[in-house]
Amino acid sequence: MVLDGKGLAKKVLENVKAQIESTGLTPGLAVVIVGDNPASRVYVNNKKKDCAECGIKSEEFALPENAGEGKLLALIDELNNRKDIHGILVQLPLPVGYAQEKVIQAISPAKDVDAFHMLNVGRIFTGNYSFLPCTPAGVIELLDAYDIDPKGKHCVVVGHSNIVGKPMAMMLLHRHATVTICHIHTVDLASFTRQADILVCAVGKVNLITADMVKQGAVVIDVGINRKEGGGICGDVDYEAVSEKASYITPVPGGVGPMTRALLMRNTLEAAKNLN
Ligand code: NAP
């Protein structure tokens, strides 16, 4: 069965819109983009579109690639102090020469709607959080919507980045799953993925997960986004073959991606509620 992220994301956005209308809040999201990376431009445009759809005021701050870290940090400081801005998002990756980690840590944790700041990351570990990073939070939301309970299951997460793999593993642990994290140095990846009741792949490599690596009836979540030659995107999972074996599977596009976008809107609303 296909896990319909696109359909569920639409419901999340409708819910955010309804809450904004009923509370009378006007959440404000500052979207900061540095340089002219075409993929970043697409992501920023999508975020602005989502904001418009659910009643969040978005403001774009586009800096040229050579603006310099000082200018970017000064902008973040200004946004941290603005009462009408509740969420600050710096589109990553930043161009070469910018200390990405330093920039992330400059964002006020209360406005860190990506949940990348160290304070918010620490809160994910203790379970006492205001925001969760949008991609793993979107995955949990999808599982919940289809009554897939990670409790007692063996969840295997492939990829251990700070923004997807690690928080994903932690969130599954909070749901009482037994979690295995695999990465580039994992010896015999298939021996781990074959044990997964729930398999989450977040790597960025086409066909990394083939049907022989998946247990019959497993739930397969494909976070990967890979650009295909000639246009379009695909995930990390050999979708056609794996969907024959999986009980549930996310498509790419239409799975985790739309959920990530929707959860950013919800985080921005939550930030506005907390700051008001
Ligand atoms: P990342 O920072 O590049 O992390 C990729 C991870 O995969 C790393 O932990 C890496 O390990 C591991 N890895 C690389 N090759 C591997 C292999 N052959 N076997 C096992 N593990 C391997 O990327 P990310 O930001 O986490 O994103 C991962 C993918 O998800 C990308 O395709 C990205 O575009 C996509 N993504 C999608 C969404 C969405 O909304 N759907 C959101 C965010 C990201 P090492 O670090 O040890 O090399």
Side-chain angles (χ1 to χ4, degrees):
M1 186 178 186
V2 175
L3 294 168
D4 178 15
K6 196 173 170 192
L8 183 61
K10 197 162 170 269
K11 287 187 194 158
V12 173
L13 290 179
E14 280 165 8
N15 180 271
V16 169
K17 186 177 181 189
Q19 284 195 59
I20 288 173
E21 283 167 3
S22 69
T23 55
L25 282 171
T26 307
L29 177 67
V31 184
V32 181
I33 178 168
V34 185
D36 51 10
N37 178 326
S40 293
R41 172 44 63 197
V42 172
Y43 288 130
V44 163
N45 288 349
N46 284 339
K47 284 163 189 173
K48 284 161 59 185
K49 204 170 119 218
D50 292 338
C51 283
E53 204 171 309
C54 56
I56 292 173
K57 190 191 74 167
S58 70
E59 217 174 304
E60 179 183 314
F61 299 85
L63 298 183
E65 185 168 341
N66 62 2
E69 203 173 283
K71 212 166 189 170
L72 176 57
L73 292 171
L75 171 63
I76 291 173
D77 188 46
E78 184 193 319
L79 296 170
N80 282 340
N81 289 303
R82 267 182 57 180
K83 295 260 181 296
D84 60 333
I85 294 291
H86 308 97
I88 302 171
L89 183 144
V90 177
Q91 187 62 49
L92 302 178
L94 289 168
V96 177
Y98 287 79
Q100 197 154 289
E101 201 48 38
K102 189 173 169 191
V103 170
I104 292 170
Q105 302 313 323
I107 299 171
S108 159
K111 298 188 178 186
D112 169 39
V113 282
D114 265 334
F116 294 164
H117 190 283
M118 263 192 262
L119 197 76
N120 288 323
V121 172
R123 284 179 173 153
I124 297 166
F125 271 65
T126 59
N128 169 29
Y129 44 75
S130 310
F131 309 115
L132 289 169
C134 303
T135 302
V139 171
I140 295 287
E141 192 91 9
L142 254 181
L143 295 177
D144 284 347
Y146 285 84
D147 288 325
I148 301 165
D149 186 359
K151 189 174 178 178
K153 305 257 168 53
H154 188 181
C155 297
V156 176
V157 179
V158 187
H160 65 159
S161 71
N162 287 340
I163 65 170
V164 188
K166 282 184 201 161
M168 183 76 258
M170 197 48 58
M171 286 157 73
L172 290 165
L173 186 59
H174 284 312
R175 293 298 189 94
H176 306 288
T178 300
V179 183
T180 299
I181 307 173
C182 299
H183 46 77
I184 187 87
H185 299 293
T186 298
V187 177
D188 195 1
L189 179 64
S191 70
F192 294 96
T193 58
R194 270 190 218 113
Q195 294 177 41
D197 301 309
I198 300 177
L199 174 63
V200 182
C201 190
V203 170
K205 191 161 183 253
V206 179
N207 284 341
L208 179 68
I209 305 295
T210 48
D212 59 309
M213 296 169 76
V214 175
K215 181 164 86 174
Q216 188 71 39
V219 175
V220 179
I221 308 289
D222 192 353
V223 179
I225 297 179
N226 305 292
R227 280 170 211 289
K228 293 198 281 193
E229 269 179 42
I233 56 168
C234 67
D236 293 346
V237 175
D238 177 0
Y239 183 83
E240 293 304 324
V242 172
S243 53
E244 300 281 314
K245 279 181 109 175
S247 55
Y248 293 91
I249 187 165
T250 57
V252 179
V256 178
M259 290 303 295
T260 299
R261 285 172 57 178
L263 270 281
L264 176 68
M265 298 300 111
R266 188 197 279 168
N267 277 355
T268 305
L269 170 63
E270 291 306 316
K273 282 187 196 165
N274 295 341
L275 288 163
N276 278 282

